[in-house]
């Protein structure tokens, strides 16, 4: 009997949050391997805000997921079969487009080998030692270009990327103010991660809080949210301020253009630099980034949270949690149990 796969396919483009009628969980035979391919049993599926963008028809940096296609997503899994000399069964790999499915038939040249690090869970390869960490590292260091003593504001500061950005900023000698939703998240970034201040956007006026916590203005903004929160930070940026636009999650569940700053003239008058970025443009920095991130973890300077939800069937619900804030740190779905031992030889 042919091995059967199970995966979520797109039935129709969501109008707002993802509903049960937008996706369908289907079973199909596992595709046979072609030359140079591997068969991977997926263990963890990354849930990211960009997943929602890919389901829409808006202009984006990758083609939208097609109707009837498996939903796109990053996965970690174990090689079960191989027609490539590059990988052997039992090795652990990361697939940039493994998809929301149990098995992926994948070109070996596009897979990345994962090396397990002592005392660091496998889930970290989807978070702090994966694209999440690389996003935080390159977006902050390469675009914000921090100097010691400068003030950074980071939105979604208790999220997967924002929490790492703030800690890197502290390592680099910056003053860090985080914007997060709820007292528990604000307490975590202040008490455990060492941020200099926290703003609970759910219970206080963000602009008034920024005036109190950033009396000398804002030098850098690492933007994950967009909308009114972004505008409040933007309107308080200093001359030669830098804004790294990583995400605009407040607008992802809506159609049409995403709102920008209300007073665009400040870009000219304050000589601001505003740059959007996607991680696809920064993979050349991966080796350096993962080396630094791992060293900061080992020295106790960098902490993170992985929020794992069990079961492939829970993936749509997990994605909607990104927009309600009902998660802590990096959100992912566990599709299968980890094997008792995994292999690999370096990232």
């Amino acid at each position: 009997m042919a091995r059967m796969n199970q995966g979520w396919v797109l039935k129709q483009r969501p109008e707002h949050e993802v509903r049960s009628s937008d996706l369908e969980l289907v079973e199909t035979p596992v595709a046979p391997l072609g030359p140079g391919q591997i068969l991977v049993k997926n263990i963890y599926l990354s849930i990211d805000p960009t997943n929602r963008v890919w389901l829409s028809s808006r202009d984006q940096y990758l083609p939208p997921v097609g109707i009837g296609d498996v939903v796109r997503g990053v996965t970690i899994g174990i090689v079960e079969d191989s027609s490539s000399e590059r990988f052997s069964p039992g090795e652990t790999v990361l697939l940039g487009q493994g998809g929301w499915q149990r098995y992926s038939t994948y070109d070996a040249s596009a897979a990345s080998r994962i090396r397990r690090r002592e005392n660091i869970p496998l889930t970290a390869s989807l978070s702090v030692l994966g694209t999440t960490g690389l996003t935080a590292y390159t977006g902050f260091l390469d675009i914000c270009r921090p100097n010691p003593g400068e003030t950074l504001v980071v939105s979604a500061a208790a999220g997967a990327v924002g929490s790492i950005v703030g800690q890197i900023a502290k390592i680099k000698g910056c003053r860090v103010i985080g914007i997060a939703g709820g007292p528990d998240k604000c307490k975590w970034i202040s008490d455990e991660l060492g941020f200099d201040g926290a703003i609970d956007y759910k219970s206080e006026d963000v602009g008034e809080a920024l005036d109190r916590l950033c009396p000398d203005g804002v030098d850098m903004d690492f933007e994950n949210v967009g909308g009114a929160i972004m505008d409040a930070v933007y309107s308080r940026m200093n001359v030669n301020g830098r804004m790294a636009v990583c995400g605009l999650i407040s607008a992802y569940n809506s159609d049409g253009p995403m709102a920008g700053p209300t007073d665009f003239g400040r870009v000219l008058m304050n000589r601001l630099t505003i740059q959007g970025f996607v991680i696809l443009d920064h993979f050349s920095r991966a080796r350096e980034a993962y080396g630094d991130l791992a060293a900061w973890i080992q020295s106790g300077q960098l902490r993170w949270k992985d929020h794992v939800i069990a079961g492939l069937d829970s993936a749509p619900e997990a994605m909607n949690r990104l927009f309600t804030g009902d998660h802590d740190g990096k959100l992912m779905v566990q599709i299968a149990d980890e094997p008792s031992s995994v292999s690999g030889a370096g990232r």
Side-chain angles (χ1 to χ4, degrees), residues 49-68:
T50 193
N51 295 155
R52 178 61 182 84
V53 177
W54 292 336
L55 298 182
S56 73
S57 59
R58 69 165 75 242
D59 289 340
Q60 51 191 279
Y61 60 91
L62 287 176
V65 174
I67 302 297

Side-chain angles (χ1 to χ4, degrees), residues 33-151:
L33 294 183
Q37 290 189 322
I38 54 177
L39 175 65
V40 176
K41 181 180 182 180
N42 293 315
I43 298 174
Y44 292 108
L45 166 66
S46 179
I47 302 295
D48 303 291
T50 193
N51 295 155
R52 178 61 182 84
V53 177
W54 292 336
L55 298 182
S56 73
S57 59
R58 69 165 75 242
D59 289 340
Q60 51 191 279
Y61 60 91
L62 287 176
V65 174
I67 302 297
D69 290 346
V70 173
V71 178
R72 184 184 297 136
V74 180
T75 61
I76 285 175
I78 301 296
V79 177
E80 291 216 336
D81 195 7
S82 175
S83 64
S84 167
E85 295 182 355
R86 187 177 179 198
F87 293 104
S88 300
E91 292 192 278
T92 311
V93 293
L94 182 143
L95 308 181
Q97 296 189 30
W100 289 24
Q101 56 187 345
R102 295 193 182 280
Y103 293 96
S104 299
T105 302
Y106 212 77
D107 288 339
S109 61
S112 299
R113 183 176 284 108
I114 290 176
R115 173 172 61 87
R116 292 298 302 268
R117 298 175 185 269
E118 186 176 359
N119 299 322
I120 296 179
L122 180 59
T123 53
S125 292
L126 276 185
S127 58
V128 64
L129 294 179
T131 53
T132 297
L134 183 59
T135 298
Y137 184 96
T138 57
F140 177 62
L141 295 180
D142 295 355
I143 297 176
C144 289
R145 305 185 308 278
N147 298 302
E150 290 188 315
T151 294

